[in-house]
Amino acid sequence: MTAIEGFDQTLLMVIPTVLEEENGTILLDRDFSNNLEAYLAAFEKVVVACPSARKKGSFPSTRILEDLSGHERARIIVLPEPYREDRYVFFRNRISKLLSREIDMARYILISPHAPFDWSTLAASICIRKGRHYNMEADWNVPITSRYIWSEMPFGINKFRKRLWMAYYNPKYWKALKNSSLSLLQGEDVMADYRQVAKNPHSVLNVQITSEDRISAVALKAKVERVCLGQPLQLVYAGRAIAMKGPLYWLETLRLLREAGVPFEARWFGSGEMLAQMERFVGDNNLEQFCKLEGNATRPSVFRAMQESDIFLFCHMGKESPRCLVEALASGAPLVGFGSDYSRGLTNASGGGIFAEPGDSSSLAHVVESLHQDRSRLAELIAAAAESGKGLDRDKEIQRRIELMKQFL
């Protein structure tokens, strides 16, 4: 049976982990569940194939599949975890046959290659072999960011091993991008890097903002008034404590601010492999009374913190399109951090951002210090950030993706 003869309104998604399992129950990442609900409204059937998260609590918030409208037309395929040579080789034949069957039965195919030895890249190679059209989605420049992460690793056998991974994977990734019929590229950094390779590139954003998430006019007014009173700056960040998020650059910026005598209170929401290293930095530099590492937190508490903050301070080192910058703007928290085409693109129209070069904590600290000294300018920046956030809407963004897939696939 071919896709055209069969269930011709089926969408197959072969993507990174968006779920975890608990006592036989599938728990979907809440943000992904919003997208899935939109896909179920647009397609007759949706099949999601991905590995399960390693541990419980991997996502800030989850929903069970049965809570989604149209859930009876969704099917979840939990794939074994790959991401390592031995696991990938062990499962490859079985997963290749499974994906081949699913690809034959689907009319629309969405994949997201993202790492060496992942099932999404395998799905791309199957589509290429079968001559099937597919949508490839990318939210970061995988080769460039992987090289940065590799450069930060200590010398040793594991670094050599990861270099071999990159040499193996990068050609496969570029082949998947080159042969995609539609490429939905998140943010201006990814678009600029991939548009010469992808045949049909379109710039999109991963937005999970609704009208309920945006800062109210009353809260915005109160924030601006408080800022103008000259109280200590409220700095916040929300993201994983991993190398590409630049956590040590973030902390170094705080250290420089303290040395300059700038009054502030800073909070980092999110956990990760570098959290223990961050805690040591805080202790070694006597930042305990200025900085709190909050770890994982619920979505409402993170949004509340962003809406109460004066600056969303970030030190991203990779070419990616992190959703936290979108959420900060919607919260009226201006973007002050290491600049990129993506961050500048979010604020080009209405403002709300000031940026330093990646890796330059000294310049970034100077920017924050200047905003502390010029509270009127900071108040204007906060208002501009909220204005930039008004145009960011979850339903509009996901509907655009759906329309592009139906047009080109």
Side-chain angles (χ1 to χ4, degrees):
M1 179 182 293
T2 67
I4 303 302
E5 295 167 346
F7 197 62
D8 67 354
Q9 288 296 317
T10 297
L11 168 65
L12 169 66
M13 308 176 70
V14 187
I15 55 179
T17 298
V18 293
L19 58 87
E20 58 186 65
E21 296 177 279
E22 182 179 340
N23 300 324
T25 300
I26 298 294
L27 303 176
L28 298 170
D29 170 50
R30 181 171 290 273
D31 289 341
F32 171 74
S33 74
N34 296 328
N35 293 353
L36 179 55
E37 210 160 31
Y39 288 138
L40 286 167
F43 300 96
E44 291 180 28
K45 184 178 180 182
V46 179
V47 180
V48 179
C50 73
S52 174
R54 290 184 179 183
K55 58 183 180 179
K56 180 182 176 182
S58 296
F59 306 103
S61 180
T62 58
R63 295 169 72 188
I64 61 172
L65 178 63
E66 287 71 23
D67 284 347
L68 274 61
S69 176
H71 66 86
E72 67 280 356
R73 293 180 288 104
R75 181 160 56 92
I76 307 295
I77 303 174
V78 180
L79 302 175
E81 180 181 319
Y83 307 126
R84 209 174 67 187
E85 307 95 320
D86 54 343
R87 289 196 295 256
Y88 182 80
V89 170
F90 182 81
F91 290 112
R92 187 183 189 281
N93 285 342
R94 177 165 70 86
I95 300 305
S96 181
K97 292 177 182 177
L98 183 155
L99 292 178
S100 183
R101 291 194 300 270
E102 296 297 333
I103 286 169
D104 284 344
M105 292 187 292
R107 177 66 174 269
Y108 301 95
I109 302 167
L110 184 162
I111 62 170
S112 184
H114 54 282
F117 312 109
D118 71 331
W119 301 131
S120 300
T121 308
L122 177 61
S125 67
I126 295 171
C127 287
I128 294 169
R129 188 181 75 237
K130 290 176 174 285
R132 291 297 311 275
H133 297 293
Y134 61 89
N135 164 29
M136 176 168 165
E137 298 199 350
D139 61 357
W140 54 300
N141 185 316
V142 173
I144 288 180
T145 305
S146 296
R147 177 173 288 277
Y148 169 74
I149 295 172
W150 174 82
S151 71
E152 294 289 295
M153 295 176 64
F155 181 80
I157 188 66
N158 193 44
K159 185 168 186 173
F160 176 72
R161 176 170 170 246
K162 292 299 176 68
R163 184 66 185 88
L164 293 178
W165 282 20
M166 291 163 58
Y168 161 81
Y169 183 64
N170 287 353
K172 295 180 180 294
Y173 186 85
W174 291 120
K175 183 178 181 180
L177 179 63
K178 183 178 180 180
N179 286 276
S180 61
S181 305
L182 171 66
S183 301
L184 299 186
L185 310 175
Q186 292 183 26
E188 292 306 312
D189 281 298
V190 182
M191 185 66 173
D193 289 347
Y194 287 177
R195 69 188 313 157
Q196 301 303 321
V197 179
K199 291 182 292 189
N200 185 19
H202 294 262
S203 180
V204 297
L205 292 174
N206 183 8
V207 176
Q208 293 295 330
I209 300 297
T210 65
S211 57
E212 291 79 16
D213 298 317
R214 294 189 186 89
I215 189 169
S216 67
V218 172
L220 182 64
K221 182 174 182 291
K223 182 194 289 197
V224 168
E225 290 175 349
R226 177 179 55 76
V227 161
C228 292
L229 293 175
Q231 296 180 10
L233 292 175
Q234 300 298 309
L235 313 177
V236 72
Y237 178 76
R240 292 175 293 161
I242 58 175
M244 63 191 297
K245 305 301 182 183
L248 298 186
Y249 290 103
W250 191 81
L251 289 173
E252 174 63 12
T253 304
L254 300 186
R255 188 188 70 79
L256 293 170
L257 288 173
R258 189 202 62 191
E259 282 190 355
V262 176
F264 69 88
E265 296 173 359
R267 305 170 75 186
W268 177 295
F269 291 89
S271 62
E273 60 193 33
M274 292 187 67
L275 190 59
Q277 193 174 352
M278 293 178 70
E279 290 170 345
R280 288 195 298 271
F281 189 106
V282 169
D284 292 344
N285 291 276
N286 299 316
L287 290 172
E288 294 93 340
Q289 67 182 94
F290 303 95
C291 173
K292 292 183 180 179
L293 304 179
E294 304 281 3
N296 287 333
T298 64
R299 188 174 190 269
S301 63
V302 172
F303 266 83
R304 184 166 56 252
M306 287 193 293
Q307 291 184 5
E308 293 171 352
S309 70
D310 307 325
I311 290 174
F312 188 84
L313 185 71
F314 67 98
C315 295
H316 298 157
M317 296 299 294
K319 286 199 168 187
E320 54 169 343
S321 51
R323 195 171 61 231
C324 59
L325 300 191
V326 170
E327 294 168 347
L329 291 174
S331 302
L335 309 182
V336 179
F338 293 165
S340 66
D341 289 345
Y342 170 67
S343 57
R344 291 185 176 92
L346 292 175
T347 56
N348 271 344
S350 300
I354 302 179
F355 309 105
E357 288 300 310
D360 193 347
S361 292
S362 178
S363 293
L364 182 56
H366 180 72
V367 169
V368 177
E369 183 180 3
S370 68
L371 290 172
H372 160 63
Q373 295 170 347
D374 189 348
R375 292 305 181 102
S376 295
R377 184 186 180 205
L378 177 55
E380 292 172 356
L381 201 66
I382 290 171
E387 188 65 27
S388 290
K390 287 181 180 179
L392 302 169
D393 182 83
R394 181 186 73 195
D395 296 336
K396 290 180 181 177
E397 286 294 332
I398 197 65
Q399 189 58 40
R400 180 165 178 265
R401 290 175 182 237
I402 290 168
E403 290 170 358
L404 286 169
M405 281 195 285
K406 290 196 170 185
Q407 179 181 352
F408 292 110
L409 304 183

